[in-house]
Coordinates of all heavy atoms in Angstrom, one line a residue:
M212 N -217.1 -27.0 -40.4 CA -216.6 -25.7 -40.1 C -215.8 -25.7 -38.8 O -216.3 -26.3 -37.8 CB -217.8 -24.7 -40.0 CG -217.3 -23.3 -39.9 SD -218.7 -22.2 -40.1 CE -218.5 -21.1 -38.8
T213 N -214.7 -25.1 -38.8 CA -213.8 -25.1 -37.6 C -214.3 -24.0 -36.6 O -214.6 -22.9 -37.1 CB -212.4 -24.8 -37.9 OG1 -212.0 -25.8 -38.9 CG2 -211.5 -24.9 -36.8
A214 N -214.3 -24.3 -35.3 CA -214.7 -23.3 -34.3 C -213.7 -22.1 -34.3 O -212.5 -22.3 -34.5 CB -214.8 -24.0 -33.0
E215 N -214.2 -21.0 -33.9 CA -213.3 -19.8 -33.7 C -212.3 -20.1 -32.6 O -212.7 -20.8 -31.6 CB -214.1 -18.6 -33.3 CG -214.8 -18.0 -34.5 CD -213.9 -17.3 -35.5 OE1 -213.0 -16.6 -35.1 OE2 -214.1 -17.6 -36.7
P216 N -211.1 -19.7 -32.7 CA -210.1 -19.9 -31.6 C -210.6 -19.2 -30.3 O -211.2 -18.1 -30.4 CB -208.8 -19.2 -32.1 CG -209.0 -19.1 -33.6 CD -210.5 -19.0 -33.8
R217 N -210.3 -19.8 -29.2 CA -210.7 -19.2 -27.9 C -209.5 -18.3 -27.4 O -208.4 -18.7 -27.5 CB -210.9 -20.4 -26.9 CG -211.3 -20.0 -25.6 CD -211.6 -21.3 -24.8 NE -211.9 -20.9 -23.4 CZ -212.2 -21.8 -22.5 NH1 -212.1 -23.1 -22.8 NH2 -212.5 -21.4 -21.3
K218 N -209.9 -17.1 -27.0 CA -208.9 -16.2 -26.5 C -208.9 -16.2 -24.9 O -209.9 -16.1 -24.3 CB -209.1 -14.8 -27.0 CG -208.9 -14.6 -28.4 CD -209.0 -13.2 -28.8 CE -208.8 -13.0 -30.3 NZ -208.8 -11.6 -30.7
V219 N -207.7 -16.4 -24.4 CA -207.6 -16.3 -22.9 C -206.3 -15.5 -22.6 O -205.4 -15.5 -23.3 CB -207.4 -17.7 -22.3 CG1 -208.7 -18.5 -22.5 CG2 -206.2 -18.4 -22.8
N220 N -206.4 -14.7 -21.5 CA -205.3 -13.9 -21.1 C -204.2 -14.9 -20.4 O -204.5 -16.0 -20.0 CB -205.6 -12.8 -20.2 CG -206.1 -13.2 -18.8 OD1 -205.6 -14.1 -18.2 ND2 -207.2 -12.6 -18.4
F221 N -203.0 -14.4 -20.4 CA -201.9 -15.2 -19.9 C -202.1 -15.7 -18.5 O -201.8 -16.9 -18.3 CB -200.6 -14.4 -20.0 CG -199.4 -15.2 -19.5 CD1 -198.8 -16.2 -20.3 CD2 -198.8 -15.0 -18.3 CE1 -197.8 -16.9 -19.9 CE2 -197.8 -15.7 -17.9 CZ -197.2 -16.7 -18.7
R222 N -202.6 -14.9 -17.6 CA -202.7 -15.4 -16.2 C -203.7 -16.5 -16.2 O -203.5 -17.5 -15.5 CB -203.2 -14.2 -15.4 CG -203.4 -14.6 -13.9 CD -203.6 -13.5 -13.0 NE -202.3 -12.8 -12.9 CZ -202.1 -11.6 -12.5 NH1 -203.2 -10.9 -12.1 NH2 -201.0 -11.0 -12.4
E223 N -204.8 -16.4 -16.9 CA -205.9 -17.5 -16.9 C -205.2 -18.7 -17.5 O -205.5 -19.8 -17.1 CB -207.1 -17.0 -17.8 CG -208.0 -18.1 -18.1 CD -208.8 -18.6 -17.0 OE1 -208.9 -18.0 -15.9 OE2 -209.4 -19.7 -17.2
F224 N -204.5 -18.5 -18.6 CA -203.8 -19.7 -19.3 C -202.9 -20.4 -18.3 O -202.9 -21.6 -18.2 CB -203.1 -19.2 -20.5 CG -202.4 -20.3 -21.3 CD1 -203.1 -21.2 -22.1 CD2 -201.0 -20.4 -21.2 CE1 -202.5 -22.2 -22.7 CE2 -200.4 -21.4 -21.9 CZ -201.1 -22.3 -22.7
R225 N -202.0 -19.6 -17.6 CA -201.1 -20.2 -16.7 C -201.8 -20.9 -15.6 O -201.4 -22.0 -15.2 CB -200.2 -19.1 -16.2 CG -199.1 -19.6 -15.3 CD -198.2 -18.5 -14.7 NE -199.1 -17.6 -14.0 CZ -198.7 -16.3 -13.7 NH1 -197.6 -15.9 -14.0 NH2 -199.6 -15.6 -13.0
T226 N -202.8 -20.3 -15.0 CA -203.5 -21.0 -13.9 C -204.2 -22.3 -14.3 O -204.2 -23.2 -13.5 CB -204.6 -20.0 -13.4 OG1 -204.0 -18.8 -13.0 CG2 -205.4 -20.6 -12.2
N227 N -204.7 -22.4 -15.5 CA -205.4 -23.6 -16.0 C -204.7 -24.2 -17.2 O -205.4 -24.7 -18.1 CB -206.8 -23.1 -16.4 CG -207.6 -22.6 -15.2 OD1 -207.9 -23.3 -14.2 ND2 -207.9 -21.3 -15.3
L228 N -203.4 -24.3 -17.1 CA -202.6 -24.8 -18.2 C -203.0 -26.2 -18.6 O -203.3 -26.5 -19.8 CB -201.1 -24.8 -17.8 CG -200.2 -25.4 -18.9 CD1 -200.2 -24.6 -20.2 CD2 -198.8 -25.4 -18.3
S229 N -203.2 -27.1 -17.7 CA -203.5 -28.5 -18.1 C -204.9 -28.6 -18.8 O -205.1 -29.3 -19.7 CB -203.5 -29.4 -16.9 OG -204.5 -29.0 -15.9
T230 N -205.8 -27.7 -18.4 CA -207.1 -27.7 -19.0 C -207.0 -27.3 -20.5 O -207.6 -27.9 -21.4 CB -208.1 -26.8 -18.3 OG1 -208.2 -27.3 -16.9 CG2 -209.4 -26.7 -19.0
Y231 N -206.3 -26.2 -20.7 CA -206.1 -25.7 -22.1 C -205.3 -26.6 -23.0 O -205.6 -26.8 -24.1 CB -205.5 -24.3 -22.0 CG -206.5 -23.3 -21.4 CD1 -206.1 -22.6 -20.3 CD2 -207.7 -23.0 -22.0 CE1 -207.0 -21.6 -19.8 CE2 -208.6 -22.1 -21.5 CZ -208.2 -21.4 -20.3 OH -209.1 -20.5 -19.8
L232 N -204.3 -27.3 -22.4 CA -203.5 -28.2 -23.2 C -204.4 -29.4 -23.6 O -204.3 -29.9 -24.7 CB -202.3 -28.7 -22.4 CG -201.2 -27.6 -22.2 CD1 -200.1 -28.2 -21.4 CD2 -200.8 -27.1 -23.6
R233 N -205.3 -29.8 -22.7 CA -206.2 -30.9 -23.0 C -207.2 -30.5 -24.1 O -207.4 -31.3 -25.0 CB -207.0 -31.3 -21.7 CG -207.7 -32.7 -21.8 CD -208.4 -33.1 -20.5 NE -207.5 -33.0 -19.4 CZ -207.6 -32.1 -18.4 NH1 -208.6 -31.2 -18.4 NH2 -206.8 -32.1 -17.4
E234 N -207.7 -29.3 -24.0 CA -208.6 -28.8 -25.0 C -207.9 -28.8 -26.4 O -208.4 -29.1 -27.4 CB -209.1 -27.4 -24.7 CG -210.1 -27.4 -23.6 CD -210.6 -26.0 -23.3 OE1 -210.4 -25.1 -24.1 OE2 -211.1 -25.8 -22.2
A235 N -206.6 -28.3 -26.4 CA -205.8 -28.3 -27.7 C -205.6 -29.7 -28.2 O -205.8 -29.9 -29.4 CB -204.5 -27.6 -27.5
H236 N -205.3 -30.6 -27.3 CA -205.2 -32.0 -27.7 C -206.4 -32.5 -28.4 O -206.4 -33.3 -29.3 CB -204.8 -32.8 -26.5 CG -204.5 -34.3 -26.9 ND1 -205.5 -35.2 -26.8 CD2 -203.5 -34.9 -27.4 CE1 -205.1 -36.4 -27.2 NE2 -203.8 -36.2 -27.6
D237 N -207.6 -32.1 -27.9 CA -208.8 -32.5 -28.4 C -209.3 -31.7 -29.6 O -210.4 -32.0 -30.1 CB -209.9 -32.4 -27.3 CG -209.7 -33.4 -26.2 OD1 -208.9 -34.4 -26.4 OD2 -210.2 -33.2 -25.1
G238 N -208.5 -30.8 -30.1 CA -208.8 -30.1 -31.4 C -209.1 -28.6 -31.3 O -209.3 -28.0 -32.3
A239 N -209.0 -28.1 -30.1 CA -209.3 -26.6 -30.0 C -208.0 -25.8 -30.2 O -206.9 -26.3 -30.1 CB -209.8 -26.3 -28.6
E240 N -208.2 -24.6 -30.7 CA -207.1 -23.6 -30.8 C -207.3 -22.6 -29.8 O -208.4 -22.0 -29.7 CB -207.1 -23.0 -32.2 CG -206.0 -22.1 -32.4 CD -205.9 -21.5 -33.9 OE1 -206.5 -22.1 -34.8 OE2 -205.2 -20.5 -34.0
I241 N -206.3 -22.3 -29.1 CA -206.3 -21.3 -28.0 C -205.3 -20.2 -28.3 O -204.2 -20.4 -28.6 CB -206.0 -21.9 -26.6 CG1 -207.1 -22.9 -26.2 CG2 -205.9 -20.8 -25.5 CD1 -206.7 -24.3 -26.1
I242 N -205.8 -18.9 -28.2 CA -204.9 -17.8 -28.4 C -204.7 -17.2 -27.0 O -205.6 -16.9 -26.3 CB -205.6 -16.7 -29.3 CG1 -205.8 -17.3 -30.7 CG2 -204.7 -15.5 -29.4 CD1 -206.6 -16.4 -31.7
V243 N -203.4 -17.1 -26.7 CA -203.0 -16.5 -25.4 C -202.7 -15.0 -25.6 O -201.9 -14.7 -26.5 CB -201.8 -17.3 -24.8 CG1 -201.5 -16.7 -23.4 CG2 -202.1 -18.8 -24.7
T244 N -203.3 -14.2 -24.8 CA -203.0 -12.8 -24.9 C -202.4 -12.2 -23.6 O -202.5 -12.8 -22.6 CB -204.4 -12.0 -25.2 OG1 -205.2 -12.2 -24.0 CG2 -205.1 -12.5 -26.4
S245 N -201.7 -11.1 -23.8 CA -201.2 -10.3 -22.7 C -201.5 -8.8 -23.0 O -201.1 -8.3 -24.1 CB -199.7 -10.5 -22.6 OG -199.1 -9.8 -21.6
H246 N -202.2 -8.2 -22.1 CA -202.6 -6.8 -22.3 C -203.3 -6.6 -23.7 O -203.1 -5.6 -24.4 CB -201.4 -5.9 -22.3 CG -200.6 -6.0 -21.0 ND1 -201.1 -5.5 -19.8 CD2 -199.4 -6.6 -20.7 CE1 -200.2 -5.7 -18.8 NE2 -199.2 -6.4 -19.3
G247 N -204.1 -7.6 -24.0 CA -205.0 -7.5 -25.2 C -204.3 -7.9 -26.5 O -204.9 -7.9 -27.5
K248 N -203.0 -8.2 -26.4 CA -202.3 -8.5 -27.7 C -201.9 -10.0 -27.7 O -201.6 -10.6 -26.6 CB -201.0 -7.7 -27.8 CG -201.3 -6.2 -28.0 CD -200.0 -5.5 -28.2 CE -200.3 -4.0 -28.3 NZ -199.1 -3.2 -28.5
E249 N -202.0 -10.6 -28.8 CA -201.7 -12.1 -29.0 C -200.2 -12.3 -28.7 O -199.4 -11.6 -29.3 CB -202.1 -12.5 -30.4 CG -201.8 -14.0 -30.6 CD -202.3 -14.5 -32.0 OE1 -203.2 -13.9 -32.6 OE2 -201.6 -15.4 -32.5
V250 N -199.9 -13.2 -27.9 CA -198.5 -13.6 -27.6 C -198.2 -15.0 -28.0 O -197.1 -15.4 -28.1 CB -198.1 -13.3 -26.1 CG1 -198.2 -11.8 -25.8 CG2 -199.0 -14.1 -25.2
A251 N -199.2 -15.9 -28.1 CA -199.0 -17.3 -28.4 C -200.3 -17.9 -28.9 O -201.4 -17.4 -28.6 CB -198.5 -18.0 -27.2
R252 N -200.1 -19.0 -29.7 CA -201.3 -19.8 -30.1 C -200.9 -21.3 -29.7 O -199.8 -21.7 -29.9 CB -201.5 -19.8 -31.6 CG -202.1 -18.6 -32.1 CD -202.3 -18.6 -33.6 NE -202.9 -17.4 -34.0 CZ -204.1 -17.2 -34.5 NH1 -204.9 -18.3 -34.6 NH2 -204.6 -16.1 -34.8
V253 N -201.9 -21.9 -29.1 CA -201.8 -23.3 -28.8 C -202.7 -24.0 -29.7 O -203.9 -23.8 -29.7 CB -202.1 -23.6 -27.3 CG1 -202.0 -25.1 -27.0 CG2 -201.3 -22.8 -26.4
V254 N -202.2 -24.9 -30.5 CA -203.0 -25.6 -31.6 C -202.9 -27.1 -31.4 O -202.0 -27.6 -30.8 CB -202.5 -25.2 -33.0 CG1 -202.7 -23.7 -33.2 CG2 -201.1 -25.6 -33.2
P255 N -203.9 -27.8 -31.9 CA -203.8 -29.3 -31.9 C -202.6 -29.8 -32.6 O -202.1 -29.2 -33.5 CB -205.1 -29.7 -32.6 CG -205.9 -28.5 -32.7 CD -205.0 -27.3 -32.7
P256 N -202.0 -30.9 -32.1 CA -200.9 -31.5 -32.7 C -201.2 -32.0 -34.1 O -202.3 -32.5 -34.4 CB -200.5 -32.7 -31.8 CG -201.7 -33.0 -31.1 CD -202.5 -31.7 -31.0
A257 N -200.3 -31.7 -35.1 CA -200.5 -32.2 -36.4 C -200.3 -33.7 -36.5 O -199.5 -34.3 -35.8 CB -199.5 -31.5 -37.4
S258 N -201.1 -34.3 -37.3 CA -200.9 -35.8 -37.5 C -199.5 -36.0 -38.2 O -199.0 -35.1 -38.9 CB -202.0 -36.4 -38.3 OG -201.9 -35.9 -39.7
L259 N -199.0 -37.2 -38.1 CA -197.7 -37.5 -38.7 C -197.8 -37.3 -40.2 O -196.9 -36.8 -40.9 CB -197.4 -39.0 -38.4 CG -196.0 -39.4 -38.9 CD1 -194.9 -38.5 -38.4 CD2 -195.7 -40.9 -38.5
G260 N -199.0 -37.6 -40.8 CA -199.1 -37.4 -42.3 C -199.0 -35.9 -42.6 O -198.4 -35.5 -43.6
Q261 N -199.6 -35.1 -41.8 CA -199.6 -33.6 -42.1 C -198.1 -33.1 -42.0 O -197.7 -32.3 -42.7 CB -200.5 -32.9 -41.1 CG -202.0 -33.1 -41.4 CD -202.8 -32.5 -40.3 OE1 -202.4 -32.4 -39.1 NE2 -204.0 -32.0 -40.6
Q262 N -197.4 -33.6 -41.0 CA -196.0 -33.2 -40.8 C -195.2 -33.6 -42.0 O -194.4 -32.8 -42.5 CB -195.5 -33.8 -39.5 CG -196.1 -33.3 -38.2 CD -195.6 -34.0 -37.0 OE1 -194.7 -34.8 -37.0 NE2 -196.3 -33.7 -35.9
R263 N -195.4 -34.8 -42.4 CA -194.6 -35.3 -43.6 C -194.9 -34.5 -44.8 O -194.1 -34.1 -45.6 CB -194.9 -36.8 -43.8 CG -194.2 -37.6 -42.8 CD -194.3 -39.1 -43.2 NE -193.6 -39.9 -42.2 CZ -193.9 -41.1 -41.9 NH1 -194.9 -41.7 -42.5 NH2 -193.2 -41.8 -41.0
A264 N -196.2 -34.2 -45.0 CA -196.6 -33.4 -46.2 C -195.9 -32.0 -46.2 O -195.5 -31.5 -47.3 CB -198.1 -33.2 -46.2
K265 N -195.8 -31.4 -45.1 CA -195.1 -30.1 -45.0 C -193.7 -30.3 -45.4 O -193.1 -29.4 -46.1 CB -195.2 -29.5 -43.6 CG -196.5 -28.9 -43.2 CD -196.4 -28.3 -41.9 CE -197.7 -27.6 -41.5 NZ -197.7 -27.0 -40.1
L266 N -193.0 -31.3 -44.9 CA -191.6 -31.6 -45.2 C -191.4 -31.8 -46.7 O -190.4 -31.3 -47.3 CB -191.1 -32.8 -44.4 CG -190.9 -32.5 -43.0 CD1 -190.4 -33.8 -42.3 CD2 -189.8 -31.5 -42.7
F267 N -192.3 -32.5 -47.4 CA -192.1 -32.8 -48.8 C -192.1 -31.5 -49.6 O -191.4 -31.4 -50.6 CB -193.2 -33.7 -49.3 CG -193.0 -35.2 -48.9 CD1 -194.0 -35.9 -48.4 CD2 -191.7 -35.8 -49.1 CE1 -193.8 -37.2 -48.0 CE2 -191.5 -37.1 -48.7 CZ -192.5 -37.8 -48.2
G268 N -192.9 -30.5 -49.2 CA -193.0 -29.3 -50.0 C -192.1 -28.2 -49.5 O -192.1 -27.1 -50.1
M269 N -191.4 -28.5 -48.5 CA -190.6 -27.4 -47.8 C -189.6 -26.8 -48.8 O -189.3 -25.6 -48.7 CB -189.8 -28.0 -46.6 CG -189.2 -27.0 -45.7 SD -188.9 -27.8 -44.1 CE -187.2 -28.2 -44.3
F270 N -188.9 -27.5 -49.7 CA -187.9 -27.0 -50.5 C -188.4 -26.8 -52.0 O -187.6 -26.5 -52.9 CB -186.7 -27.9 -50.5 CG -186.0 -27.9 -49.2 CD1 -186.1 -29.0 -48.4 CD2 -185.3 -26.8 -48.7 CE1 -185.4 -29.0 -47.1 CE2 -184.7 -26.8 -47.5 CZ -184.7 -27.9 -46.7
K271 N -189.7 -26.8 -52.2 CA -190.2 -26.6 -53.5 C -189.7 -25.2 -54.1 O -189.8 -24.2 -53.4 CB -191.7 -26.6 -53.5 CG -192.4 -26.5 -54.8 CD -193.9 -26.6 -54.7 CE -194.7 -26.7 -55.9 NZ -194.4 -26.0 -57.1
D272 N -189.2 -25.3 -55.3 CA -188.7 -24.1 -55.9 C -187.5 -23.5 -55.3 O -187.1 -22.4 -55.6 CB -189.8 -23.0 -56.1 CG -191.0 -23.5 -56.9 OD1 -190.7 -24.3 -57.9 OD2 -192.1 -23.1 -56.6
R273 N -186.8 -24.2 -54.4 CA -185.6 -23.7 -53.7 C -184.4 -24.5 -54.1 O -183.3 -24.0 -53.9 CB -185.8 -23.7 -52.2 CG -186.8 -22.8 -51.7 CD -186.9 -22.8 -50.2 NE -187.9 -21.9 -49.7 CZ -188.1 -21.7 -48.4 NH1 -187.3 -22.3 -47.5 NH2 -189.0 -20.9 -48.0
L274 N -184.5 -25.7 -54.5 CA -183.4 -26.5 -54.8 C -183.4 -26.8 -56.3 O -184.4 -27.0 -56.9 CB -183.4 -27.9 -54.0 CG -183.4 -27.8 -52.5 CD1 -183.5 -29.1 -51.9 CD2 -182.0 -27.1 -52.1
Q275 N -182.2 -26.9 -56.8 CA -182.1 -27.3 -58.2 C -181.0 -28.4 -58.4 O -180.0 -28.3 -57.7 CB -181.7 -26.1 -59.1 CG -182.7 -25.0 -59.1 CD -182.3 -23.8 -60.0 OE1 -181.3 -23.9 -60.6 NE2 -183.1 -22.8 -60.0
M276 N -181.2 -29.3 -59.2 CA -180.2 -30.4 -59.5 C -179.3 -29.8 -60.6 O -179.7 -29.2 -61.6 CB -180.9 -31.6 -60.1 CG -181.6 -32.4 -59.0 SD -180.5 -33.3 -58.0 CE -181.7 -34.2 -57.1
A277 N -178.0 -30.1 -60.4 CA -177.0 -29.8 -61.4 C -177.3 -30.7 -62.6 O -177.7 -31.9 -62.5 CB -175.6 -30.0 -60.9
P278 N -177.1 -30.2 -63.8 CA -177.4 -31.0 -65.0 C -176.6 -32.4 -65.0 O -177.1 -33.4 -65.6 CB -177.0 -30.2 -66.2 CG -177.0 -28.8 -65.7 CD -176.7 -28.9 -64.2
D279 N -175.5 -32.4 -64.4 CA -174.6 -33.6 -64.4 C -174.6 -34.3 -63.1 O -173.7 -35.0 -62.8 CB -173.2 -33.2 -64.8 CG -172.5 -32.3 -63.8 OD1 -173.3 -31.7 -63.0 OD2 -171.3 -32.1 -63.9
F280 N -175.7 -34.1 -62.3 CA -175.6 -34.7 -61.0 C -175.5 -36.2 -61.0 O -175.0 -36.8 -60.0 CB -176.9 -34.3 -60.2 CG -178.1 -35.2 -60.5 CD1 -178.4 -36.2 -59.7 CD2 -178.9 -34.9 -61.6 CE1 -179.5 -37.0 -60.0 CE2 -180.0 -35.7 -61.9 CZ -180.3 -36.8 -61.1
D281 N -175.9 -36.9 -62.0 CA -175.8 -38.4 -62.0 C -174.7 -38.9 -62.9 O -174.6 -40.1 -63.2 CB -177.2 -39.0 -62.5 CG -177.5 -38.6 -63.9 OD1 -176.9 -37.6 -64.4 OD2 -178.5 -39.2 -64.5
E282 N -173.7 -38.1 -63.2 CA -172.6 -38.5 -64.0 C -171.4 -38.6 -63.1 O -171.1 -37.7 -62.3 CB -172.3 -37.5 -65.1 CG -173.4 -37.4 -66.1 CD -173.2 -36.3 -67.1 OE1 -172.0 -35.7 -67.2 OE2 -174.1 -35.9 -67.8
T283 N -170.8 -39.8 -63.1 CA -169.6 -40.0 -62.3 C -168.3 -39.8 -63.2 O -168.2 -40.4 -64.2 CB -169.5 -41.4 -61.7 OG1 -170.8 -41.6 -61.0 CG2 -168.4 -41.6 -60.8
P284 N -167.4 -38.9 -62.7 CA -166.2 -38.6 -63.5 C -165.4 -39.9 -63.7 O -165.3 -40.7 -62.8 CB -165.4 -37.6 -62.7 CG -166.5 -37.0 -61.8 CD -167.5 -38.1 -61.5
A285 N -164.9 -40.1 -64.9 CA -164.0 -41.2 -65.2 C -162.9 -41.4 -64.3 O -162.6 -42.6 -63.9 CB -163.5 -41.1 -66.7
E286 N -162.3 -40.3 -63.8 CA -161.1 -40.4 -62.9 C -161.6 -41.1 -61.6 O -160.9 -41.9 -61.0 CB -160.5 -39.1 -62.6 CG -160.1 -38.2 -63.8 CD -161.3 -37.4 -64.4 OE1 -162.1 -36.8 -63.6 OE2 -161.4 -37.5 -65.6
L287 N -162.8 -40.7 -61.1 CA -163.3 -41.3 -59.9 C -163.6 -42.8 -60.0 O -163.3 -43.6 -59.2 CB -164.5 -40.5 -59.4 CG -165.1 -41.0 -58.1 CD1 -164.1 -40.9 -57.0 CD2 -166.4 -40.1 -57.8
I288 N -164.2 -43.1 -61.1 CA -164.5 -44.5 -61.4 C -163.2 -45.3 -61.4 O -163.0 -46.4 -60.8 CB -165.2 -44.7 -62.7 CG1 -166.7 -44.1 -62.6 CG2 -165.3 -46.2 -63.1 CD1 -167.4 -44.1 -63.9
D289 N -162.2 -44.8 -62.1 CA -160.8 -45.4 -62.2 C -160.3 -45.6 -60.8 O -159.8 -46.7 -60.4 CB -159.9 -44.6 -63.0 CG -158.6 -45.3 -63.3 OD1 -158.7 -46.5 -63.6 OD2 -157.5 -44.7 -63.2
E290 N -160.3 -44.6 -59.9 CA -159.8 -44.7 -58.6 C -160.6 -45.8 -57.7 O -160.0 -46.6 -57.0 CB -159.9 -43.4 -57.8 CG -158.9 -42.4 -58.3 CD -157.4 -42.8 -57.9 OE1 -157.3 -43.4 -56.8 OE2 -156.6 -42.6 -58.7
M291 N -161.9 -45.8 -57.9 CA -162.7 -46.8 -57.2 C -162.4 -48.2 -57.6 O -162.6 -49.2 -56.8 CB -164.2 -46.4 -57.4 CG -164.6 -45.1 -56.7 SD -166.2 -44.6 -57.1 CE -167.3 -45.9 -56.6
E292 N -162.0 -48.4 -58.9 CA -161.8 -49.7 -59.4 C -160.3 -50.1 -59.2 O -159.9 -51.1 -59.7 CB -162.1 -49.8 -60.9 CG -163.6 -49.7 -61.1 CD -164.0 -49.6 -62.5 OE1 -163.2 -49.4 -63.4 OE2 -165.3 -49.8 -62.8
G293 N -159.6 -49.4 -58.4 CA -158.2 -49.7 -58.1 C -157.2 -49.0 -58.9 O -156.0 -49.2 -58.7
G294 N -157.5 -48.1 -59.7 CA -156.6 -47.2 -60.4 C -155.8 -48.0 -61.4 O -155.6 -49.2 -61.3
T295 N -155.2 -47.3 -62.4 CA -154.4 -48.0 -63.4 C -153.1 -47.2 -63.5 O -152.9 -46.2 -63.1 CB -155.1 -48.1 -64.8 OG1 -155.5 -46.8 -65.1 CG2 -156.2 -49.0 -64.8

């Protein structure tokens, strides 16, 4: 089970920035607040595997291949072969 994020006000965060960054590096999530409202979250860095997994799914259901994407027009092949 993941620990609840720690909430700190902006002034406290700014004063002890290196401490909070070290905590985030070690796995903690810190919520920075200003006047009681969330203004930022500091989270642990994602592993390279997690970053890649996000990229692989990023365009799911957004891109479509044209039905003829792998067909090269005869005119282009002719030009590439020196033309006739």
Side-chain angles (χ1 to χ4, degrees):
M212 187 169 133
T213 307
E215 284 291 314
R217 181 174 178 182
K218 290 185 179 184
V219 297
N220 68 44
F221 180 75
R222 181 170 288 165
E223 167 70 17
F224 180 75
R225 184 180 58 197
T226 302
N227 298 296
L228 178 61
S229 61
T230 299
Y231 292 119
L232 292 179
R233 193 173 316 109
E234 286 180 19
H236 181 267
D237 293 340
E240 180 175 344
I241 293 117
I242 297 174
V243 183
T244 63
S245 178
H246 302 288
K248 295 184 180 180
E249 182 178 329
V250 294
R252 283 182 182 249
V253 181
V254 297
S258 71
L259 186 55
Q261 289 172 327
Q262 292 172 9
R263 286 184 178 157
K265 281 184 180 179
L266 289 175
F267 284 131
M269 191 161 99
F270 293 108
K271 184 177 186 323
D272 300 325
R273 293 185 181 184
L274 297 177
Q275 296 180 3
M276 287 284 186
D279 63 347
F280 82 97
D281 61 348
E282 297 174 14
T283 305
E286 306 85 47
L287 182 57
I288 292 173
D289 188 44
E290 285 294 319
M291 291 170 59
E292 292 176 345
T295 54

